[in-house]
Amino acid sequence: MQPIQIAVVPVTPFEQNCSLLWCTRTMKGVVIDPGGDLDKIRSAIAETGITVDKILLTHGHVDHAAGAAELAETLGVKVEGPGEADQFIMDDIPATAARYGIPNARAVTPDRYLSEGETVSVGDLTLDILHVPGHTPGHLVFVHKGVGIAIVGDTLFRGSVGRTDFPYGDPDLLIAGIVGKLLPLGDTVVCLPGHGPVTSIGDEKTHNPFLPR
């Protein structure tokens, strides 16, 4: 059995890939990007039988972070990530949620902001942190190098990349981060994006029209 398991729980009208990631030896896990639909997330936690240690956020957008405060309270755990530069986005979650019809959304202030070069532990697992801004200023990617899995949030998708048409978006910064930090992870690394199907670094290097050849 692999030392790491992941279950994906699509949430919110945006079909955001909230994920449960856990250590198969200890059955300790994390919830990554609980944007909403907390009943679905709680049901998935119960089904997997894991003990949630913490909540991780890749970035502060409403579909990734709007359920984090409530879920953290009910589970008695802390919220870690994203980078501090996304706090203004997380402060605006209730107003943004109202525009998109996402109920019970709350602003969230993480217990710990995360930065590139730091790590987070999940049972016996260690996740490395990469800072890949452009979609949002504080966007993070979580990588387990041993197995070759990256939780890439809204940086890289199958055949596409994250939106940068926000006032704080930066397409050049996003592409530079993908090329300089994600592609060097290796062709076999599996990427779980914030929306849509999984992909791999090798597939995106070959087929993604947004990346330089």
Side-chain angles (χ1 to χ4, degrees):
M1 180 184 291
Q2 292 280 12
I4 187 172
Q5 289 285 330
I6 298 176
V8 176
V9 185
V11 297
T12 80
F14 296 97
E15 289 292 293
Q16 193 276 122
N17 290 331
C18 172
S19 55
L20 311 182
L21 181 153
W22 68 95
C23 166
T24 55
R25 191 191 72 80
T26 64
M27 293 302 288
K28 292 182 178 179
V30 294
V31 180
I32 303 177
D33 289 355
D37 296 329
L38 296 187
D39 287 346
K40 291 175 62 176
I41 297 173
R42 293 187 187 102
S43 294
I45 293 169
E47 185 175 339
T48 60
I50 65 174
T51 299
V52 176
D53 267 357
K54 59 178 70 81
I55 293 169
L56 299 179
L57 299 179
T58 62
H59 64 291
H61 278 157
V62 61
D63 52 329
H64 292 254
E70 180 180 341
L71 188 62
E73 285 181 2
T74 59
L75 294 178
V77 299
K78 294 183 177 181
V79 179
E80 299 188 6
E84 187 173 3
D86 271 14
Q87 186 58 57
F88 76 100
I89 301 173
M90 293 183 284
D91 289 340
D92 198 47
I93 283 175
T96 305
R99 292 197 295 270
Y100 290 109
I102 298 176
N104 304 316
R106 288 170 52 184
V108 58
T109 299
D111 297 281
R112 174 190 174 196
Y113 298 112
L114 297 173
S115 302
E116 181 164 335
E118 296 182 313
T119 61
V120 291
S121 60
V122 186
D124 294 340
L125 306 174
T126 298
L127 302 179
D128 293 305
I129 298 167
L130 298 176
H131 179 217
V132 185
H135 179 67
T136 68
H139 198 300
L140 304 177
V141 169
F142 300 101
V143 181
H144 188 278
K145 292 181 179 177
V147 174
I149 293 175
I151 312 298
V152 298
D154 287 2
T155 59
L156 182 66
F157 301 108
R158 180 180 287 184
S160 189
V161 297
R163 289 178 55 184
T164 56
D165 57 338
F166 307 107
Y168 45 79
D170 189 325
D172 294 335
L173 200 57
L174 178 62
I175 297 301
I178 294 171
V179 172
K181 297 181 181 181
L182 300 189
L183 299 190
L185 293 174
D187 289 358
T188 60
V189 167
V190 174
C191 299
L192 174 59
H195 306 266
V198 298
T199 186
S200 71
I201 294 296
D203 284 346
E204 298 314 307
K205 283 171 66 175
T206 302
H207 302 295
N208 194 310
F210 294 90
L211 302 182
R213 295 292 182 264

